[in-house]
């Protein structure tokens, strides 16, 4: 999962792009980058780390221009190599810089095509580089020195024809403008907005509407599945549907975990969707356990807080904040290794013992992935004095890998894989465990926009709308297992050490 943004304005955009990345920081904490354009040149700064650590005054001063794109990275294969920090750049044709959120599922086939047929070289293992080179090749096929909006849309049609998977893209073309587009299923989010300045209209694209809000851009709408939006250097905007048969299927996990609660995705307010998740889950608990002995409901901060408040209200029990979160530790969703994850939980959360002492506590989390974190938190609650510890997940059991840009573990590292709820509850050592029903989750989200008929729920039901190429899951497991991640981290650490000597 990553965050992307692009702005075409009448004044320098460096500070605006920096501010946009701060708002989108939750979508990626591995690396950050900004590329701007001015008088025929690109200016770039990108590196591993948080936004505030990557950009200093000297870097901002060099980022000249009234047009630019930006990216925060979340590694989808567990790598922290700085070579994969985005935006990525290719000089032919024209000069193109690109930022991407998502994951391609036919990357193996595309690598062969790019080398054998397109004669293009890849320098990283990033599927974003694959996508950049496919776009570059399709633009080169237009065989013109001056691209028109129609040429750009034809190139995007070529990208859709060749690429399968999830991709929300923002790309900047030298001397031309910014183009943004989504895959034909609209799995990953992308919106655009407008604001009026003294010198004319200014446009912005971003992964979430909260980034537009922070910069006083008015949300126009979500970019449609398969649609491309092109904004030229003069601030004129063009749109076109570039995919032949789009099937709207946004990722439902955006609403569960990734998106900010102050964002709206597909005309659905994330905060309201999470409130409805809590209501659905509370009713499920009451159906299964009408004579419960729960004394207090507590969220595991932060994403589950909204659902927990609704659950406490409907169960007619107290809501309390039982854990204090260290704000200076980022999301630990993808940390490799049980020891590291356990240590991180203890650093990130600290219980308020008074709230737990001699009480039956219901803990609410947005989801349970490996179960390592959940088990550690249950033990922390017991150590703080809870009599009984119950656990509830605002999402259904995660039984399958996510292949669309979320670095889910391999199947046998998912706690719910081939297990029923009772077995999962025993493994996390909870006195009782409750899960959201999948249909309840769908209804909770869809109520905000009844025009949506389908969501990507593949991590819950194994239904992959794009299909996958042969051997894809085997290759993915070789990349995503804890063992392989640790081996790669050692390799990158040794390379960094060698380079620093």
């Amino acid at each position: 999962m990553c965050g992307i943004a692009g702005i075409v304005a009448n004044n320098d955009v460096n500070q605006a792009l920096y501010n946009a990345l701060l708002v989108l920081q939750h979508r990626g904490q591995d690396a950050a980058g900004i590329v701007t354009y001015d008088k025929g040149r690109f200016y770039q700064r990108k590196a591993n780390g948080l936004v505030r650590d990557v950009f200093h005054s000297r870097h901002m001063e060099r980022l000249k221009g009234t047009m630019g794109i930006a990216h925060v990275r979340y590694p989808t294969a567990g790598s922290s190599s700085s070579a994969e920090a985005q935006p990525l750049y290719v000089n032919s044709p024209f000069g193109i810089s690109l930022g991407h959120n998502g994951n391609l599922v036919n990357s193996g086939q595309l690598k062969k095509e790019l080398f054998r047929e397109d004669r293009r070289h890849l320098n990283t293992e990033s599927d974003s580089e694959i996508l950049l080179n496919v776009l570059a090749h399709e633009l080169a096929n237009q065989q013109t020195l001056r691209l028109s909006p129609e040429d750009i849309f034809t190139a995007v049609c070529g990208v859709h024809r060749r690429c399968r998977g999830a991709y929300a893209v923002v790309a900047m073309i030298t001397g031309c403008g910014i183009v943004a587009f989504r895959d034909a299923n609209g799995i990953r989010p992308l919106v655009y907005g407008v604001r009026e300045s003294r010198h004319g209209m200014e446009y912005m694209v971003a992964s979430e509407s909260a980034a537009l809000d922070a910069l006083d851009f008015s949300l126009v709408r979500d970019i449609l599945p398969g649609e491309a939006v092109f904004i030229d250097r003069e601030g004129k905007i063009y749109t076109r549907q570039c995919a032949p048969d789009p099937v709207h299927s946004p990722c439902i996990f955006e609403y569960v975990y990734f998106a900010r609660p102050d964002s709206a995705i597909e005309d659905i307010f994330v905060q309201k969707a999470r409130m409805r998740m809590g209501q659905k889950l509370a009713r499920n608990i009451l159906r299964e356990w009408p004579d419960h002995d729960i004394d207090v409901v507590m969220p595991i901060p932060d994403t589950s807080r909204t659902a927990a408040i609704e659950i406490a209200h409907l169960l007619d029990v107290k809501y309390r904040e039982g854990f204090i979160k260290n704000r200076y530790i980022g999301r630990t969703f993808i940390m490799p290794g049980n020891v590291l994850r356990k240590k991180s939980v203890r650093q990130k959360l600290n219980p308020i013992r008074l709230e737990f002492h001699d009480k039956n506590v219901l803990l609410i989390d947005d989801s349970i992935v490996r179960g390592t974190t959940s088990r550690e938190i249950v033990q922390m609650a017991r150590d703080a004095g809870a009599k009984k510890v119950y656990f509830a997940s605002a999402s259904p059991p995660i039984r399958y890998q996510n292949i669309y840009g979320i670095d889910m573990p391999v199947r046998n590292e998912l706690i719910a894989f081939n297990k029923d709820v009772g077995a999962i509850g025993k493994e996390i050592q909870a006195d009782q465990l409750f899960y959201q029903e999948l249909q309840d989750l769908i209804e909770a989200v869809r109520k905000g926009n009844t025009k949506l008929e389908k969501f990507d729920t593949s991590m819950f039901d194994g239904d992959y709308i794009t299909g996958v190429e042969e051997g894809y899951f085997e290759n993915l497991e070789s990349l995503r297992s804890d063992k392989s991640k640790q081996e790669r981290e050692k390799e990158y650490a040794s390379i960094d050490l060698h380079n620093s000597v």
Side-chain angles (χ1 to χ4, degrees):
M1 190 66 59
C2 300
I4 59 176
I7 299 176
V8 177
N10 300 306
N11 298 302
D12 286 344
V13 295
N14 52 357
Q15 187 64 51
L17 288 169
Y18 175 88
N19 292 341
L21 290 187
L22 288 177
V23 176
L24 297 172
Q25 183 75 87
H26 63 288
R27 300 189 67 86
Q29 300 165 0
D30 184 67
I34 294 175
V35 174
T36 59
Y37 172 83
D38 184 56
K39 298 176 183 177
R41 288 192 61 185
F42 281 167
Y43 297 87
Q44 174 182 280
R45 166 63 181 171
K46 62 179 182 177
N48 280 4
L50 299 175
V51 175
R52 69 186 181 206
D53 299 322
V54 169
F55 300 99
H56 301 151
S57 296
R58 64 184 184 276
H59 305 126
M60 298 298 290
E61 290 169 1
R62 296 172 191 155
L63 292 170
K64 305 173 185 177
T66 59
M67 180 171 73
I69 63 174
H71 186 273
V72 283
R73 179 174 181 265
Y74 164 111
T76 55
S79 162
S80 60
S81 169
S82 58
E84 296 184 9
Q86 297 184 38
L88 299 174
Y89 171 77
V90 67
N91 68 350
S92 176
F94 308 108
I96 307 165
S97 188
L98 176 144
H100 163 224
N101 174 29
N103 197 52
L104 300 179
V105 299
N106 65 334
S107 54
Q109 171 194 337
L110 288 170
K111 282 182 182 179
K112 294 175 183 176
E113 289 179 6
L114 285 166
F115 178 74
R116 295 174 182 172
E117 301 172 22
D118 301 347
R119 301 292 190 265
R120 302 191 74 90
H121 171 72
L122 298 175
N123 202 45
T124 72
E125 294 300 316
S126 169
D127 57 351
S128 301
E129 189 186 15
I130 295 173
L131 209 155
L132 169 60
N133 277 273
V134 171
L135 175 62
H137 182 77
E138 296 299 325
L139 286 168
N141 282 345
Q142 303 313 304
Q143 297 184 340
T144 179
L145 291 175
R146 190 174 181 84
L147 290 170
S148 68
E150 190 64 26
D151 294 327
I152 292 169
F153 292 144
T154 301
V156 174
C157 288
V159 173
H160 289 323
R161 187 174 59 252
R162 297 177 64 180
C163 297
R164 286 193 294 122
Y167 47 92
V169 173
V170 59
M172 185 163 57
I173 306 168
T174 306
C176 193
I178 286 177
V179 60
F181 55 93
R182 293 172 80 189
D183 65 84
N185 299 113
I187 297 172
R188 300 267 69 89
L190 193 60
V191 299
Y192 78 95
V194 63
R195 72 182 180 190
E196 189 171 358
S197 74
R198 289 183 298 173
H199 304 290
M201 305 306 289
E202 301 177 327
Y203 290 93
M204 177 177 179
V205 297
S207 294
E208 295 185 32
S209 63
L212 273 62
D213 296 339
L215 296 172
D216 293 326
F217 281 82
S218 299
L219 173 66
V220 175
R221 59 177 174 84
D222 294 76
I223 295 175
L224 299 174
E227 183 183 29
V229 172
F230 172 63
I231 308 154
D232 68 19
R233 289 177 59 197
E234 285 71 45
K236 294 179 182 177
I237 188 167
Y238 308 83
T239 65
R240 178 178 155 185
Q241 177 55 253
C242 296
D245 298 301
V247 179
H248 207 167
S249 185
C251 175
I252 205 164
F253 207 60
E254 288 280 353
Y255 301 92
V256 173
Y257 177 76
F258 270 105
R260 285 175 53 130
D262 52 340
S263 285
I265 300 175
E266 310 291 357
D267 292 327
I268 299 170
F269 291 101
V270 175
Q271 172 83 344
K272 293 288 285 184
R274 290 178 182 165
M275 289 174 65
R276 292 189 291 266
M277 289 177 208
Q279 293 161 6
K280 295 277 189 182
L281 184 54
R283 293 186 183 107
N284 186 34
I285 293 171
L286 287 172
R287 278 195 305 270
E288 290 187 29
W289 195 16
D291 55 346
H292 68 81
D293 62 354
I294 300 167
D295 296 317
V296 61
V297 171
M298 294 182 185
I300 297 169
D302 286 316
T303 321
S304 61
R305 184 174 283 116
T306 304
I309 292 172
E310 296 299 310
I311 291 169
H313 175 71
L314 288 175
L315 295 184
D316 196 24
V317 299
K318 292 178 181 179
Y319 169 89
R320 290 290 186 268
E321 294 281 344
F323 292 100
I324 297 301
K325 181 179 178 181
N326 184 343
R327 303 290 174 185
Y328 301 97
I329 296 180
R331 285 184 164 184
T332 55
F333 186 72
I334 58 168
M335 279 192 170
N338 285 343
V339 174
L340 184 57
R341 280 190 287 270
K342 285 182 180 180
K343 183 179 179 181
S344 174
V345 173
R346 295 280 179 170
Q347 292 173 339
K348 188 174 183 178
L349 297 175
N350 192 48
I352 303 173
R353 294 181 177 274
L354 177 67
E355 299 294 351
F356 289 91
H357 181 67
D358 205 29
K359 293 174 185 173
N360 298 333
V361 179
L362 173 62
L363 301 178
I364 311 297
D365 207 350
D366 51 75
S367 58
I368 305 173
V369 184
R370 294 177 178 89
T372 311
T373 298
S374 303
R375 183 166 57 248
E376 191 71 11
I377 289 172
V378 168
Q379 187 58 49
M380 289 169 66
R382 294 194 193 282
D383 293 344
K387 285 195 300 184
K388 293 182 179 179
V389 182
Y390 310 121
F391 206 98
S393 167
S395 68
I398 297 174
R399 304 188 188 277
Y400 303 91
Q401 295 159 294
N402 182 281
I403 64 173
Y404 298 128
I406 303 173
D407 195 27
M408 287 287 178
V410 299
R411 284 176 297 178
N412 60 10
E413 290 177 1
L414 294 168
I415 192 171
F417 181 64
N418 280 344
K419 292 190 186 78
D420 60 24
V421 175
I424 300 167
K426 287 180 181 178
E427 192 158 333
I428 68 170
Q429 299 174 1
D431 293 294
Q432 200 152 342
L433 173 64
F434 301 93
Y435 271 107
Q436 186 84 263
E437 296 291 334
L438 179 55
Q439 191 56 42
D440 283 345
L441 174 61
I442 292 170
E443 290 175 3
V445 177
R446 187 174 179 268
K447 189 173 181 180
N449 181 359
T450 55
K451 294 179 182 178
L452 283 174
E453 297 182 357
K454 186 175 179 60
F455 292 92
D456 167 51
T457 55
S458 55
M459 66 177 68
F460 307 123
D461 58 15
D463 180 14
Y464 299 101
I465 191 168
T466 62
V468 293
E469 62 185 8
E470 186 177 352
Y472 181 83
F473 284 107
E474 290 77 7
N475 181 59
L476 200 64
E477 294 200 359
S478 71
L479 291 171
R480 288 187 177 179
S481 69
D482 275 349
K483 182 180 178 181
S484 63
K485 286 180 182 178
Q486 290 165 355
E487 288 173 354
R488 278 196 306 278
E489 292 306 319
K490 288 179 183 177
E491 179 184 347
Y492 286 124
S494 65
I495 292 171
D496 289 343
L497 180 63
H498 175 75
N499 290 339
S500 65
V501 173

